[in-house]
Amino acid sequence: MIRYIRRAAVLCLLLLVALLVNAARVMLVEADELDANPANRRSSIARWAEPRGEILVDGKPVTGSRDSGQQLRWERTYRRGPLYAPVTGYASQTYGTSMVEDAEDAILSGADPMLAPLPLWNDLTRGRSPGGDVVTTIRAPMQEAAYRGLGGKRGAVVALEPSSGRILALVSSPSYEPGVLSGTGPGVKDAWTRLTTSPNQPMLNRALRQTYPPGSTFKIVTAAAALDAGVVRDVDAPTDTPDPFVLPGTRQVLPNEARGCEDASLAYALQWSCNTVMAGLGVDVGLAGMVEAAERFGFDDATLRVPSWVARSNFDRDMSPDQLALSSIGQFNTTATPLQMAMVAAAVANTGEIAQPYLVDRTTTDRGTTVDRTPRRGYRQAMSPSTALQLQRLMVKAVEEGTGGNAAIPGARVGGKTGTAQHGLGNAGTPYAWFIAWAQEEGSGRPAVAVAVVVEDAEASRTDISGGGSAAPIARDVMREALRLDAEARGAPGPRGGPARTKPPRPVGPPGGRPPAGVTARPAP
């Protein structure tokens, strides 16, 4: 009898050991795989069991949370959602996260170990800290001015602080209400279908993830390349450029919208946006020189993060001379995000250096203790300081006496460049209106803001679209807010209000006249 009891005891001991071994295997070996299994709702329940941290603009939260009373308890809410959607993105229990909600998800959800009171605390307790907060670099008045300026038209605005790289405004239009994607159920699925199938693509972040032909705004890059390479030594000297200009190796003639471009100087070419001069300078610099110059500005960089990923702006590395000529005036295969073109303007404003752009100033615990802060980092030296100073003068002249007069701000030094990029088969698409600029308040030691605006309005008449007419007023309003905020920070009076241009526009010739057959692009001022 005792023998059978012993055998049963041994068997029970073996079963107990097997259970312990299996429990250890599940907890130590298969835990990650089980956590990641879509059928396991425990991680989702834990993720939404507490409110997410907040995303802040000017110290005020633009997000919130509401108790749904469901198994996935806390749903995300947004204050003025369409205004800030390009910044915040969405946090959906059904469709995941995007933009800052995605890039800083560990902080916002409380999963980041830096939020724990002690090292390894969350690992030992298998718990989460309260969600932390994300403080953005966005300035509300500038964001509102940009959003109001676009007025629902397709387009985007990006504003940077040139010296630091702080993103002060980031607007994509048309926008959407991210709160409709927060929860679960048929309503959320219907909203997702409606937003993702809309022909206006409201969920596309045009400021960071849409590339456009930059048109004549790219001429700043070409001018920088020509000055740094020594192709142009005197910006006021004739460039020996014919008008009409025949694209190298072809019989195709590149037209101008402006008059007086034959043998014009670089200064005149930027002031009135002469295609022929800038195309010729790009060919003179050469393919290798133009590729190197474009990459110094950030083109062809697929690694840029702000912290959300940014689409790669393109400048081809293998082109024929005629293609290089068109690329040098922002056409052919040259494309850029609005952020990239804001970086071009910032490079001129910041004496040639581009600071790494960033959108998150710092992250904090739920009680406001700083967890991490984004430092100022250099990104690229786009051009020499002397070249930047010359381009500053030329961009100021383009605003004071040239095509950019609608961006002038009384009491401020403003430099700008217009662009009207045509696209589509036979250039039949409505042109994209561009404007890039920077502004410096009188009495300030450095420019306060650099901005890029692109407007793509499919309902507008082709003759009503121009960089100076459609995009420059939006840039002016955003820069005016930036100067006011900068003046307040310095304790100085802000810029005077009201649209103005210091001098009447000089006639630039008839806007009509299609290019001869075979010409693939005809950018305008």
Side-chain angles (χ1 to χ4, degrees):
M1 185 70 178
I2 295 176
R3 181 175 58 184
Y4 292 114
I5 293 174
R6 287 176 178 171
R7 289 178 179 175
V10 171
L11 178 61
C12 289
L13 179 62
L14 290 174
L15 291 174
L16 179 61
V17 170
L19 287 172
L20 293 174
V21 169
N22 186 62
R25 178 181 63 84
V26 170
M27 289 188 293
L28 300 178
V29 178
E30 297 183 0
D32 292 341
E33 181 181 349
L34 293 172
D35 283 342
N37 192 314
N40 180 11
R41 290 177 59 83
R42 292 177 63 89
S43 59
S44 295
I45 293 171
R47 173 182 174 84
W48 301 102
E50 300 292 338
R52 283 172 73 81
E54 307 292 11
I55 299 174
L56 280 69
V57 171
D58 278 345
K60 298 178 181 179
V62 296
T63 56
S65 297
R66 67 168 174 263
D67 189 346
S68 68
Q70 304 297 316
Q71 191 177 52
L72 303 182
R73 181 174 175 182
W74 291 93
E75 295 179 357
R76 193 57 145 169
T77 61
Y78 296 88
R79 298 176 178 90
R80 305 190 69 182
L83 174 63
Y84 293 110
V87 178
T88 63
Y90 58 82
S92 171
Q93 295 170 345
T94 305
Y95 296 105
T97 54
S98 69
M99 306 311 297
V100 168
E101 292 275 29
D102 180 65
E104 299 293 347
D105 181 63
I107 287 286
L108 294 166
S109 66
D112 195 309
M114 294 296 291
L115 295 171
L118 296 171
L120 304 179
W121 179 262
N122 288 350
D123 292 334
L124 294 173
T125 62
R126 305 287 292 181
R128 285 175 180 252
S129 302
D133 296 338
V134 175
V135 181
T136 70
T137 58
I138 296 295
R139 301 306 310 271
M142 297 176 62
Q143 186 82 358
E144 292 166 2
Y147 187 78
R148 185 171 57 249
L150 285 172
K153 296 178 181 178
R154 288 201 300 254
V157 179
V158 179
L160 301 171
E161 184 177 64
S163 61
S164 67
R166 292 163 56 89
I167 298 176
L168 305 176
L170 185 77
V171 171
S172 177
S173 178
S175 189
Y176 69 103
E177 172 52 65
V180 300
L181 303 175
S182 294
T184 58
V188 172
K189 293 181 180 179
D190 290 345
W192 177 266
T193 300
R194 183 178 70 254
L195 291 172
T196 55
T197 59
S198 170
N200 287 327
Q201 297 180 286
M203 295 181 69
L204 171 63
N205 192 320
R206 291 173 166 85
L208 300 180
R209 296 179 180 173
Q210 178 66 52
T211 59
Y212 303 88
S216 293
T217 59
F218 189 82
K219 293 173 182 177
I220 297 298
V221 177
T222 302
L227 287 166
D228 277 346
V231 171
V232 174
R233 299 186 182 278
D234 181 356
V235 297
D236 296 309
T239 56
D240 195 26
T241 307
D243 184 14
F245 178 88
V246 179
L247 295 175
T250 74
R251 295 181 180 179
Q252 299 171 5
V253 175
L254 182 66
N256 284 304
E257 291 288 341
R259 293 174 176 170
C261 290
E262 182 176 2
D263 201 25
S265 66
L266 175 60
Y268 186 92
L270 285 182
Q271 181 181 354
W272 298 108
S273 207
C274 295
N275 296 330
T276 52
V277 172
M278 303 311 299
L281 290 179
V283 173
D284 291 343
V285 171
L287 178 60
M290 283 299 301
V291 168
E292 182 183 357
E295 291 182 349
R296 286 199 302 268
F297 279 91
F299 284 79
D300 299 327
D301 181 6
T303 66
L304 187 60
R305 301 290 184 272
V306 294
S308 304
W309 66 270
V310 180
R312 171 182 171 272
S313 298
N314 181 74
F315 189 83
D316 278 2
R317 302 183 183 188
D318 184 12
M319 292 181 281
S320 60
D322 60 311
Q323 293 168 343
L324 176 59
L326 292 173
S327 296
S328 299
I329 56 174
Q331 293 291 333
F332 187 55
N333 288 336
T334 303
T335 58
T337 62
L339 173 63
Q340 173 63 76
M341 297 315 296
M343 292 162 63
V344 170
V348 176
N350 198 41
T351 60
E353 186 208 13
I354 303 175
Q356 178 82 24
Y358 64 97
L359 189 55
V360 173
D361 179 69
R362 66 186 185 278
T363 55
T364 72
T365 66
D366 64 318
R367 298 189 177 187
T369 303
T370 297
V371 174
D372 191 24
R373 185 181 294 273
T374 305
R376 193 266 189 206
R377 296 188 182 96
Y379 175 68
R380 302 277 173 85
Q381 185 69 36
M383 68 193 98
S384 68
S386 61
T387 291
L389 292 174
Q390 292 187 80
L391 289 181
Q392 283 185 16
R393 179 172 67 85
L394 299 185
M395 291 180 74
V396 168
K397 193 172 183 180
V399 170
E400 292 181 347
E401 302 177 7
T403 59
N406 281 334
I409 300 173
R413 183 171 178 251
V414 179
K417 182 70 189 77
T418 57
T420 306
Q422 295 182 334
H423 65 100
L425 183 63
N427 293 329
T430 302
Y432 300 134
W434 277 95
F435 192 73
I436 63 173
W438 51 268
Q440 180 175 354
E441 182 69 19
E442 290 179 354
S444 175
R446 61 189 180 188
V449 62
V451 64
V453 178
V454 63
V455 180
E456 43 162 329
D457 186 2
E459 297 180 358
S461 167
R462 287 172 59 91
T463 57
D464 292 337
I465 288 285
S466 71
S470 302
I474 302 173
R476 178 197 62 219
D477 292 345
V478 174
M479 291 188 294
R480 183 184 290 124
E481 289 296 333
L483 294 173
R484 182 181 64 80
L485 293 169
D486 182 61
E488 288 179 357
R490 294 185 290 109
R496 297 184 290 276
R501 64 174 293 139
T502 56
K503 296 182 180 180
R506 176 177 175 179
V508 294
R514 295 183 178 179
V519 175
T520 59
R522 188 201 60 180

